[in-house]
Amino acid sequence: MTPPPTVSPSSDSGIHYRVEAADVHAHLFGIVLTIDRPAARQAVSLPVWIPGSYLVREFAKHLQRLRARQHGAEVPVVQRDKCSWQIDADPSAPLELSYQVYAFDTSVRTCWLDARRGFFNGTGLCLRVEGQESLAHHLTVVAPDAAAVPGDAAAPRDDTGAAAGIAPWRLATALRPVEADAFGFGRYRADGYDELADSPVELGPFWSGDFVARGVPHRFVVAGAATTFDGERLLADAQRICETAIDFWHPDGGPAPHDRYVFMLNAVDDGYGGLEHRHSTALICQRRDLPRFGDPRRSEGYTTLLGLISHEYFHTWNVKRLRPAEFARYDYTRENYTRLLWFFEGFTSYYDDLLLRRAGLLDDAGYLKLLNKTLNQVLQAPGRLVQSVADASFDAWVKYYRQDENTPNATISYYTKGALVALCLDLSLRGEPAREAAGAATLDTVMRMLWERCDAGPMSREDVEAVLRQVAGRSYADELAAWVDGTGELPLQPLLAAHGVEWHDDPAQPAQRLGLRVAETAGSIQVKAVLRGSAAEAAGLAAGDEWIGIETGAQEAWRLGKLEDLSLYLGDRLQATLIVARDRRLLRLPLALPPLADPASRTARLSVRDPQAVGRWLEGPGG
């Protein structure tokens, strides 16, 4: 990838951060913050959350050894609250703050540092200089000491300082370089704190590749991959995704809103997730899910990874630019509430897999299989009848990111139900007559018109309603009230049938039939959640129970190692006695299974009935 254009090094005034790996084994970053023109009573603070992840994470808990110096002498630092400090300073001289940040969280939201990899978000590392957020912010990242990175410290080293046979550390970020070396270390510039906070940094001996999508240079870096990793295949598939997304938003060939983009993927043994940024994204996947040399198959795990790439890239438009009006300017000190996450996360979740289909990375059956999973996740959550998806958006700060054993009974995901709301709107719109003024009546048209109407900026619920009316030629207020603000069932089955999709009611898996969420490890069944109104709840099972076995009558008892053994021992019987351990006490609980004809014993499965009708929907009419 051609590096982003450099900016003039003459623009030196503002805020300066110098970041180094102070101690890779103690997982400590060292930061020196220089404020060129401090206020007389200068306040600094560390954000309590990171945009895109709606939970107060208290990043300040990892900050330590904060000191201030001016005129060559130490000056007092007074802590104001959990995440902010104040320094009485001389406004005529630079103020220097030094501190350390403990970095040992592998997630995409925080910071990580060890002898093999570094990663940080500005929200977790860079103090915010209050009152000067709009000034230029300069970030200098220093290459780690060669003796601290992988390899024997006594081993011969090449001219890069790396141990023989070990790739040197490099740096990747979407920030624009001012003065950086061939490995990326050096000085970068952000136009303000918001851009700095929105530009994660990846460090280490990562794999790197480049491609261009519709004229936009993209870089893909992967840390932690095995030697079997086929990077060229990942690049080719990511390019198809990016081109499809750009074409979706700009079908007339207009320019994309970004002039560069960086994917940062951390491959681990067990993990999954992503976080969107304006010119980049941070991703985590399982190492085994990466494509491999000589293996042309697209595994289920790799398809999931491609869906994640599609999801985060779609956010480049939907939430990073077109965004809730409440996010016009972030408040980093507290929760930022919106009732629109069903749109920004849910609609993105609808389009992530749909764009894989349009990019040719899924066939119709493969797409319906993924949609089927989303559909059952919602239908099997009793919380869908308790909490609206608008309320779920508002409650994300205390419910979605703080899940417990009662979560499936009391809440619904704005990702999954939001995706189904998007599906219902799309299929409903496709049944409306096309109107010359608006073009084809599809959700695609709605998204593009919102982009134009809101000038790729803050958006409200009223904007959604207005554009739906314009596209459809009628009000969709009743549908939004029922599907977004209400808790009734969505009209999924008739809408899918009208577009060539067959709905089958198949026998449910044991966990669904029982109404349980469990973990099965080492021959033990641990109950994680009991669903409201289920056979498991009626039997008296509770989260935390260990399900040891069953008694089936006639003095016959069996130990269970996994749920699927239940049918082996029960056959077609519907009655049994459960043997569980709770707080070290053995209990015998009466179980009455619902008959197979009961809805609790059935699960939905989708298939293609009319290939042409399904194709018209999935391929998209343009417009």
Side-chain angles (χ1 to χ4, degrees), residues 550-558 569-570 573 575-577 588:
I550 60 168
E551 295 176 351
T552 59
Q555 298 183 338
E556 186 175 72
W558 299 94
Y569 300 126
L570 272 185
R573 285 173 287 192
Q575 306 289 330
T577 299
R588 298 172 71 251

Side-chain angles (χ1 to χ4, degrees), residues 437-493:
T442 72
L443 192 61
D444 297 12
T445 309
V446 170
M447 300 300 287
R448 294 171 192 145
M449 291 181 65
L450 280 168
W451 176 262
E452 296 295 331
R453 174 188 174 94
C454 300
D455 195 23
M459 187 198 84
S460 69
R461 167 77 172 261
E462 289 70 27
D463 291 314
V464 178
E465 294 180 353
V467 171
L468 282 170
R469 177 187 288 273
Q470 185 177 353
V471 171
R474 68 173 183 86
S475 172
Y476 264 70
D478 289 344
E479 284 87 348
L480 291 178
W483 304 345
V484 173
D485 303 318
T487 57
E489 301 288 15
L490 299 173
L492 294 161
Q493 193 164 351

Side-chain angles (χ1 to χ4, degrees), residues 310-348:
S310 179
H311 183 99
E312 303 304 337
Y313 194 69
F314 198 83
H315 273 316
T316 305
W317 292 264
N318 197 39
V319 92
K320 295 312 297 183
R321 289 170 174 84
L322 185 66
R323 60 192 183 277
E326 297 89 343
F327 292 175
R329 189 64 185 264
Y330 295 121
D331 183 346
Y332 295 100
T333 67
R334 58 183 293 277
E335 297 88 344
N336 290 216
Y337 294 101
T338 178
R339 302 182 71 84
L340 287 173
L341 294 183
W342 58 269
F343 180 92
F344 289 99
E345 290 293 355
F347 281 38
T348 299

Side-chain angles (χ1 to χ4, degrees), residues 550-593:
I550 60 168
E551 295 176 351
T552 59
Q555 298 183 338
E556 186 175 72
W558 299 94
R559 181 175 179 83
L560 290 181
K562 48 190 176 181
L563 276 185
E564 66 182 35
D565 288 343
L566 193 63
S567 61
L568 171 66
Y569 300 126
L570 272 185
D572 58 3
R573 285 173 287 192
L574 300 178
Q575 306 289 330
T577 299
L578 312 182
I579 303 172
V580 303
R582 182 183 303 165
D583 192 28
R584 311 297 292 178
R585 178 179 296 171
L586 294 180
L587 304 177
R588 298 172 71 251
L589 306 176
L591 173 68
L593 277 174

Side-chain angles (χ1 to χ4, degrees), residues 323-390:
R323 60 192 183 277
E326 297 89 343
F327 292 175
R329 189 64 185 264
Y330 295 121
D331 183 346
Y332 295 100
T333 67
R334 58 183 293 277
E335 297 88 344
N336 290 216
Y337 294 101
T338 178
R339 302 182 71 84
L340 287 173
L341 294 183
W342 58 269
F343 180 92
F344 289 99
E345 290 293 355
F347 281 38
T348 299
S349 296
Y350 173 61
Y351 276 109
D352 55 19
D353 291 334
L354 185 55
L355 293 193
L356 293 187
R357 162 63 181 80
R358 294 183 184 175
L361 297 169
L362 283 175
D363 59 17
D364 291 352
Y367 172 77
L368 290 182
K369 181 178 180 181
L370 295 177
L371 177 60
N372 210 134
K373 181 178 179 180
T374 300
L375 188 151
N376 279 315
Q377 285 175 337
V378 172
L379 293 182
Q380 294 169 17
R384 76 188 188 282
L385 305 176
V386 175
Q387 184 187 48
S388 74
V389 75

Side-chain angles (χ1 to χ4, degrees), residues 24-28 62 101-107 110-114:
V24 296
H25 300 303
H27 318 293
L28 290 173
H62 296 305
V101 169
Y102 177 70
F104 201 59
D105 185 334
T106 59
S107 81
T110 53
C111 307
W112 172 270
L113 180 65
D114 68 2

